[in-house]
Amino acid sequence: MKSILSFFLISLLASCTHTYYVVRHAEKATPSHGPAMNTPNDPPLSATGLQRAEALKHVLSDKNIRYIFSTNTIRTRSTAQPISDLTGVNIQTYGPRPDTAFIQQLKKIKKNTLIVGHSNTIDDIANMLAGENKVEGDLPESVYDQLFIIRYKNGGKKIEFARVSF
């Protein structure tokens, strides 16, 4: 009986933890004037960006990702695609600017979630999920390797925040 109760408590505590992974899209291709580029405003990933998207997949491969959100651009969707392929989780689209409704939607999920955004939006997403300013301002245009981790423990009563490079 004691071991059953211990198993139940451990399972309950584990289920009270969920994590949001917030990342900027990987490196985008330089606009060109040829037919390979869709539009200058929606470029695909560069070769380096494709490698970084694969690196992100490896970083998150054991994180039990259950939801993936991306803006509706080629570069954000391409950044999320390798982890989507690995996990079988469909990429859901959110509006170009995160708003309170989107953050509330994320907070209701309570499952490990990847959110891919842009240099001028991931600070807002990370800060709103953390409930305080942890990221100061937009990311510099040259920064693509920052992963913001917001972990809710004990039903959201304790929030841990980390910023790691990959």
Side-chain angles (χ1 to χ4, degrees):
M1 180 69 168
K2 191 175 188 179
S3 63
I4 293 173
L5 181 59
S6 295
F7 175 77
F8 176 74
L9 287 175
I10 289 170
S11 298
L12 181 64
L13 288 175
S15 69
C16 291
T17 300
H18 60 282
T19 305
Y20 301 99
Y21 300 91
V22 183
V23 67
R24 179 188 183 189
H25 62 79
E27 289 88 335
K28 56 189 171 186
T30 304
S32 69
H33 297 291
M37 185 68 69
N38 263 2
T39 67
N41 294 330
D42 194 13
L45 295 181
S46 66
T48 302
L50 291 170
Q51 291 174 345
R52 188 169 311 280
E54 285 295 318
L56 178 64
K57 176 183 83 172
H58 292 293
V59 167
L60 298 177
S61 65
D62 64 347
K63 303 302 186 216
N64 197 27
I65 300 297
R66 292 292 169 239
Y67 289 88
I68 301 172
F69 290 89
S70 166
T71 60
N72 194 23
T73 62
I74 294 169
R75 59 194 179 276
T76 55
R77 294 184 67 76
S78 297
T79 301
Q81 194 62 56
I83 194 72
S84 173
D85 292 343
L86 177 70
T87 61
V89 175
N90 290 329
I91 301 170
Q92 299 180 52
T93 302
Y94 69 93
R97 299 281 316 171
D99 58 12
T100 305
F102 176 61
I103 299 302
Q104 291 307 314
Q105 176 187 359
L106 292 174
K107 287 181 175 182
K108 288 178 184 175
I109 290 173
K110 300 189 188 301
K111 302 276 185 199
N112 291 355
T113 303
L114 170 64
I115 304 107
V116 183
H118 301 270
S119 62
N120 62 344
T121 63
I122 64 168
D123 58 322
D124 298 327
I125 296 168
N127 289 337
M128 286 190 277
L129 285 171
E132 60 183 289
N133 282 349
K134 297 283 193 174
V135 183
E136 293 299 324
D138 298 345
L139 286 184
E141 197 55 37
S142 62
V143 174
Y144 295 92
D145 66 345
Q146 300 293 296
L147 178 64
F148 300 92
I149 303 168
I150 302 97
R151 180 171 292 118
Y152 283 64
K153 289 186 163 188
N154 302 324
K157 292 189 171 96
K158 180 177 181 190
I159 299 172
E160 297 176 346
F161 181 86
R163 178 179 186 163
V164 298
S165 295
F166 66 98

